[in-house]
Amino acid sequence: MVDRIERHYAVFGRDVWGLLGFLALALIAFAAAAPQFLTAANFSSMAFQVSDLGLLTLAMLMPIISGGFNLAIIATANLSGLTLAWILNLNGGPQAGVLAFAGGAAAALAVGGASGAAMGATIAFLGAHPILASLAMMIFLRGLGEYLTRGGDISGFPDFLGEVGHGELLGVPVPMLVLVGAALFWHFLLSHTRHGFAVTMIGSNARAAEYSGVPVKRTITLVYALSGMMCALAGILMLTRFNSVRVGHGDSLLLVTVLACFLGGVDPFGGFGRVAPVFVALLILQTLSSGLNLLGANQHLSTAVWGLFLIAVMSLRWAGPVLAKLLKRTKE
């Protein structure tokens, strides 16, 4: 039994249980304050809303663990969505079929992966700083998207896409199922593959990882390519949810993805991070936002509460080791 508990602790990370406790407290508090909080309609709304943010957070997670950063996640998602929209319009727009959607989705994933790989190669082989490389890619992709769309929206897609963006399967919103599937795949990739081990090694010490035989340059390129593909998946999902594509979709989510990663215990300097705590952190952020909204609070108050929550979590993480040292000294 003890071994099983230790295995669960190792898999989920050191922060997940505390975050689950806070999530339970938040659910109880909002249920007491707003009777409509514990309703199927509200939980369904929360599941639809958290999906886009969740996929973009996963796209940000792997670069941070590797010791890098990806400021281009929103721009990559939007350009990938534009790619899908362009192929759908070439095949009849509202009359486009499933094959056109499948081909467009594959092209969108290819665009996301290619842009991420180009950014990763710039970082790995040219030695560019991840922030500067991703900032340059963000500006390029955003400018390209604005040029192609003339700053406007692209809409007019097949009706069956609404079943993806707004449909349910066995009572669970399809976007939430996509997010859960992506999170499980990311967890497997980071925790049970050589690539995940290499990403952690590089984030801890890239030079030592290279001396240990880890293919650092290839791994970094792959990290950003996979991040770009996850962005593309988010762009596809946003197209199906909003039934339109615009360069500015999701701009406000960039810093929130970083917030979710840090709340989930990801080391901002790289070398440590797990999917499960980050996923729970996403649920907490969505719970706080939806609960405050039901209480009639201003949307900006939700943002302030998110910031306070991050400060509280950081304070507790700092206070824990300090208290442990004090108790040790007291016993001595």
Side-chain angles (χ1 to χ4, degrees):
M1 181 65 180
V2 174
D3 292 339
R4 182 180 301 176
I5 293 175
E6 290 179 349
R7 285 198 301 270
H8 284 311
Y9 183 86
V11 168
F12 294 128
R14 60 178 180 264
D15 294 320
V16 70
W17 305 111
L19 291 172
L20 284 172
F22 184 89
L23 176 61
L25 289 175
L27 290 172
I28 293 171
F30 284 123
Q36 65 271 38
F37 182 80
L38 291 181
T39 60
N42 182 54
F43 283 130
S44 177
S45 176
M46 291 170 59
F48 278 113
Q49 293 176 41
V50 78
S51 56
D52 302 333
L53 174 60
L55 292 175
L56 291 170
T57 300
L58 293 177
M60 180 65 79
L61 174 61
M62 195 179 293
I64 292 180
I65 296 176
S66 72
F69 213 71
N70 188 359
L71 291 172
I73 57 172
I74 307 298
T76 304
N78 287 327
L79 191 68
S80 300
L82 287 174
T83 302
L84 173 57
W86 177 65
I87 292 178
L88 288 173
N89 286 338
L90 280 181
N91 288 272
Q95 284 74 45
V98 176
L99 288 179
F101 172 72
L109 291 171
V111 167
S115 61
M119 181 168 45
T122 302
I123 296 168
F125 292 94
L126 300 182
H129 195 282
I131 291 180
L132 295 178
S134 61
L135 177 63
M137 182 60 72
M138 177 187 73
I139 294 173
F140 168 71
L141 295 178
R142 186 179 180 90
L144 180 61
E146 289 178 345
Y147 169 76
L148 294 174
T149 62
R150 301 299 188 270
D153 295 0
I154 297 179
S155 57
F157 304 124
D159 293 336
F160 69 83
L161 292 186
E163 299 176 6
V164 178
H166 301 279
E168 295 183 353
L169 182 63
L170 301 177
V172 181
V174 173
M176 188 63 180
L177 293 175
V178 173
L179 172 59
V180 171
L184 290 174
F185 174 70
W186 233 231
H187 167 73
F188 173 79
L189 195 63
L190 288 171
S191 301
H192 300 286
T193 66
R194 290 182 179 180
H195 172 73
F197 176 75
V199 170
T200 302
M201 288 283 291
I202 293 170
S204 299
N205 191 320
R207 181 169 295 181
E210 189 170 12
Y211 289 152
S212 302
V214 175
V216 173
K217 294 179 180 179
R218 186 180 67 189
T219 301
I220 291 176
T221 304
L222 182 57
V223 162
Y224 286 89
L226 289 170
S227 175
M229 295 182 71
M230 187 63 73
C231 293
L233 182 59
I236 294 169
L237 194 62
M238 286 193 290
L239 182 148
T240 62
R241 289 194 61 231
F242 302 140
N243 197 35
S244 66
V245 181
R246 181 169 56 84
V247 174
H249 273 165
D251 279 349
S252 61
L253 299 179
L254 177 59
L255 294 180
V256 183
T257 63
V258 181
L259 170 66
C261 287
F262 293 163
L263 285 176
V266 179
D267 192 328
F269 300 104
F272 180 83
R274 298 183 185 274
V275 174
V278 172
F279 187 84
V280 178
L282 286 167
L283 297 180
I284 291 174
L285 292 177
Q286 186 58 55
T287 298
L288 293 174
S289 178
S290 299
L292 290 172
N293 183 55
L294 288 175
L295 294 176
N298 187 284
Q299 182 180 1
H300 300 293
L301 179 60
S302 299
T303 306
V305 171
W306 287 351
L308 289 174
F309 180 50
L310 176 60
I311 293 173
V313 170
M314 290 190 299
S315 299
L316 289 173
R317 287 175 184 161
W318 173 84
V322 172
L323 291 174
K325 290 180 180 179
L326 290 175
L327 289 174
K328 184 177 181 181
R329 290 179 181 177
T330 303
K331 292 179 180 179
E332 292 175 353

